[in-house]
Amino acid sequence: MNTISKYLGLAAGVALFALPAFGQDAPAEAAEALPPVPGEIGYIFTTFMFLVTGFLVMWMACGFAMLEAGLVRSKNVTMQLTKNIVLFALAAIMYYLVGYNLMYPGDGWTIPNYLGAFSSTVLEPVGLEGTETDLTYASVGSDFFFQLMFCATTASIVSGTLAERIKLWPFLIFTVILTAFIYPIQASWKWGGGWLDADWGFLDFAGSTVVHSVGGWAALAGAIVLGPRIGRYRDGQTVPMPGSNLTLATLGTFILWLGWFGFNGGSQLYMNTAGNVADISRIFANTNAAAAGGVVAAMLTTMVLFKKPDLTMILNGALAGLVSITAEPLTPGLGGATLIGAVGGVLVVIAVPMLDKMKIDDVVGAIPVHLVCGIWGTLAVCLSNPDASFSGQLVSIIAVGVFVFVVSLVLWLILKAVMGIRASQEDEVAGMDVAELGMEAYPEFSKSTS
């Protein structure tokens, strides 16, 4: 009898709290909600795609943070983590205030096809109330969110190259200018319908040049102005400076690999037909194949050159393959995508020692991965997409490269002259964590002064 009473009481409680008066309050309009009309279906699916792929790309920020934390020495880990989370926040704010409409001006170009609109981002009203929304695309909020992640990725590339000797505040000031102006202006030339798209037929599906090479050019300019780490080059030799945690670096690489499916897949821009959905799945498969090709090629190349596999090169090989396929992840087959990624894996292994010979100190190998392989990937579009022209791709690479490198170089030089960009020798030896932040990532371990 007691058991029956318990079940009756439980049933009564569930029924009681299921009543509207006791349940969670629902919006008044929910009772009047109707299924979407057929014309809204494509809008709903494309918006949903942008949101899902957008947060996959956002997760790449964690990947960059973990990769960099693993590849710098323990005395600089906290600085890298700080830079990565703050640069993401700054990118979000600056892209809202300036970048989005500068990149996608519509009919509001300040200088037609060259300089976009100067205004902040405005979302649709709640519930699309009182608007005539274009249901052939997606919501402004989802598009802004997705595109913002690409902008933040560009800044993350710069962070790793300049690690272990750059001051925090000059780097953050550069990040503000990069995300508000440098990245959006050149991106508008292609993705905003500007002159590279209109006049040269430039093809860059998800940003081998527009995102990755841009980060690489900005990083290269900074590395030249900043100079190498103390003790990196001695008596004509490159002195190894091993990272603190290859476990973290490997985790970061896998996170980036995962996020890249959103990076490339979402760049299909539509999920409103069976054909678009099939293409997204094709992009996912090709993206994965290119990364695999980069890993294997980098491992074999290090075996040939160094007689042993090098994990850091293998990790960068995966990223090299991903960057290489980003300009055109749709049109190749699986075999073609694997080969494109494999070439990237070879290039990154060759490019790292070449930079060292020029005494350009890139702590994480971002310049070989994002700049060198970004250029390769952009040219490789011609191998699988008949709409691409070699001249159009090459002119666009040069135009973007000259613009970003020159503007970045001038900005780095101004920052150097006005406030200084490099830590003092004493601070660099002690580590940026203690010198700039007053805290260590691994306080239980003895301090390294290497």
Side-chain angles (χ1 to χ4, degrees):
M1 189 66 178
N2 288 338
T3 302
I4 294 174
S5 298
K6 288 180 181 178
Y7 281 112
L8 288 174
L10 178 62
V14 171
L16 183 64
F17 282 98
L19 295 174
F22 291 93
Q24 183 179 10
D25 290 338
E29 63 270 19
E32 302 175 5
L34 298 173
V37 298
E40 295 179 345
I41 298 298
Y43 177 88
I44 292 169
F45 275 103
T46 300
T47 295
F48 181 73
M49 177 197 71
F50 277 143
L51 296 176
V52 173
T53 55
F55 70 64
L56 277 173
V57 183
M58 186 273 176
W59 190 230
M60 291 174 70
C62 175
F64 279 114
M66 295 300 98
L67 178 67
E68 293 173 21
L71 293 181
V72 300
R73 290 168 290 179
S74 59
K75 62 186 179 180
N76 298 304
V77 171
T78 304
M79 173 63 93
Q80 288 310 110
L81 299 176
T82 302
K83 286 196 298 182
N84 274 274
I85 194 166
V86 177
L87 73 83
F88 186 86
L90 289 174
I93 294 170
M94 299 314 300
Y95 198 65
Y96 147 63
L97 289 175
V98 184
Y100 183 64
N101 285 330
L102 197 57
M103 182 170 163
Y104 293 108
D107 296 327
W109 290 89
T110 301
I111 301 175
N113 291 341
Y114 288 92
L115 186 63
F118 288 91
S119 59
S120 60
T121 307
V122 178
L123 305 180
E124 301 105 334
V126 176
L128 301 179
E129 187 69 30
T131 64
E132 295 183 5
T133 301
D134 180 8
L135 296 179
T136 63
Y137 189 49
S139 71
V140 173
S142 67
D143 186 57
F144 167 80
F145 178 74
F146 181 70
Q147 299 299 338
L148 161 64
M149 302 307 149
F150 286 63
C151 180
T153 296
T154 306
S156 296
I157 294 167
V158 183
S159 171
T161 294
L162 308 181
E164 300 202 314
R165 74 270 201 206
I166 192 169
K167 294 179 181 178
L168 177 63
W169 291 105
F171 171 78
L172 296 181
I173 292 171
F174 182 86
T175 297
V176 167
I177 305 301
L178 176 67
T179 55
F181 300 104
I182 299 174
Y183 169 79
I185 288 173
Q186 61 80 34
S188 73
W189 298 345
K190 165 55 189 171
W191 291 340
W195 69 283
L196 291 180
D197 182 59
D199 299 339
W200 289 94
F202 178 37
L203 297 182
D204 192 3
F205 192 95
S208 286
T209 285
V210 172
V211 177
H212 295 283
S213 285
V214 167
W217 286 118
L220 177 62
I224 292 172
V225 175
L226 191 62
R229 289 168 288 176
I230 296 171
R232 177 60 171 165
Y233 305 111
R234 188 179 302 156
D235 301 326
Q237 300 294 318
T238 300
V239 178
M241 294 182 171
S244 62
N245 193 326
L246 292 183
T247 304
L248 277 186
T250 304
L251 173 63
T253 302
F254 272 116
I255 291 173
L256 288 167
W257 192 329
L258 172 65
W260 229 288
F261 297 126
F263 201 97
N264 288 352
S267 295
Q268 178 68 11
L269 300 184
Y270 291 91
M271 200 173 78
N272 54 357
T273 66
N276 278 322
V277 173
D279 283 351
I280 292 169
S281 66
R282 182 184 177 97
I283 290 166
F284 272 47
N286 280 339
T287 298
N288 191 70
V295 166
V296 174
M299 182 179 67
L300 294 177
T301 306
T302 57
M303 281 290 296
V304 171
L305 295 179
F306 312 129
K307 310 306 178 187
K308 292 181 180 179
D310 183 321
L311 176 59
T312 60
M313 290 290 192
I314 292 170
L315 298 178
N316 275 335
L319 302 180
L322 290 163
V323 171
S324 298
I325 200 64
T326 293
E328 186 48 86
L330 177 59
T331 54
L334 285 171
T338 304
L339 290 175
I340 289 170
V343 172
V346 173
L347 287 174
V348 78
V349 176
I350 295 173
V352 168
M354 287 180 61
L355 281 179
D356 284 329
K357 287 181 180 179
M358 294 184 284
K359 296 186 178 181
I360 296 175
D361 188 10
D362 180 354
V363 177
V364 303
I367 294 171
V369 168
H370 298 279
L371 176 54
V372 174
C373 293
I375 292 172
W376 152 244
T378 303
L379 294 175
V381 176
C382 301
L383 300 177
S384 64
N385 191 329
D387 294 331
S389 70
F390 183 81
S391 60
Q393 298 301 97
L394 184 60
V395 166
S396 300
I397 289 168
I398 294 171
V400 170
V402 169
F403 169 73
V404 175
F405 181 78
V406 170
V407 174
S408 297
L409 185 65
V410 170
L411 182 54
W412 285 123
L413 289 171
I414 292 173
L415 289 170
K416 181 179 180 180
V418 172
M419 61 190 305
I421 62 174
R422 179 157 187 156
S424 67
Q425 180 174 344
E426 181 182 355
D427 287 348
E428 184 177 340
V429 171
M432 304 300 289
D433 290 0
V434 173
E436 290 261 318
L437 304 173
M439 62 177 66
E440 299 174 90
Y442 308 111
E444 68 274 22
F445 298 116
S446 61
K447 186 186 300 182
S448 171
T449 57
S450 62

